[in-house]
Amino acid sequence: MGPWSPCAGRRRRGPALEHAIFDATLSELGEVGYDGLTMERVAARSGTGKASLYRRWSGKEDLVVDALNHMLPPMDQPLDTGSVRGDLIVLLERMAATINSSAGGAMRSIMANLHCGPQMIEAVHSRVIAPRKQMMLDALRRGAERGEVRPDAVTMLVAQAGPALLVQQFLSDEPRVTRKLIEDIVDQVVMPMLRP
């Protein structure tokens, strides 16, 4: 076993092995970028064999997308705080937790790497980003049902305003996202667009 094998001598299976593989994938992305990421490096770092990776994933594109999805807040977490402002803050906090984590570093590496190709960008968008945009739109719909949001403001364009500002911060020189920034985005930008 190489230097990346903290679990030498202990064979992992199932969820424990999968988690180690995802951790290794995101760490590799953060360190060497998408171009430098290889199945061999992930296998070595996670302390498993390359064949074990290829039994689960066809290549690094599928592995990276699954790793990002695994490290992001689950899509099935129920969310209804009782107010659209509360829902938006919780959703943006979940995004911020990701941005401030190793998954955020991995996503920054992918977004900054134009060589990863249109298929990879499309896979990240359709399987990782788009479902989470839908959660923002669902929060606006619930707000409209409660009378907090103008019906004509329940659009994907409006739903993307808060996340777009977080992404802007994410790509800036000071990428850490704070609770104050989230509240400012919601109170100063998003809520004024929603009010009846």
Side-chain angles (χ1 to χ4, degrees), residues 29-84:
L29 271 173
E31 290 176 19
V32 301
Y34 186 77
D35 281 347
L37 179 82
T38 64
M39 298 295 263
E40 291 82 2
R41 289 180 65 96
V42 172
R45 189 167 194 145
S46 61
T48 192
K50 193 168 62 168
S52 180
L53 297 184
Y54 281 110
R55 276 195 297 273
R56 294 169 170 84
W57 299 280
S58 62
K60 70 178 185 178
E61 177 183 301
D62 285 336
L63 173 58
V64 166
V65 171
D66 277 358
L68 289 171
N69 253 331
H70 176 78
M71 301 307 280
L72 290 169
M75 295 295 300
D76 58 358
Q77 283 186 351
L79 172 67
D80 190 349
T81 65
S83 76
V84 70

Side-chain angles (χ1 to χ4, degrees), residues 90-142:
V90 169
L91 287 168
L92 292 179
E93 282 181 328
R94 289 180 185 176
M95 285 184 67
T98 300
I99 286 170
N100 294 334
S101 73
S102 60
M107 287 187 79
R108 190 177 297 110
S109 171
I110 291 170
M111 292 169 77
N113 184 351
L114 300 177
H115 309 127
C116 64
Q119 284 184 317
M120 182 63 197
I121 299 292
E122 174 55 30
V124 170
H125 184 269
S126 63
R127 291 169 53 190
V128 179
I129 297 171
R132 287 160 179 91
K133 285 182 182 177
Q134 186 61 46
M135 292 178 78
M136 298 294 288
L137 188 60
D138 291 344
L140 299 187
R141 284 198 183 108
R142 286 192 302 273

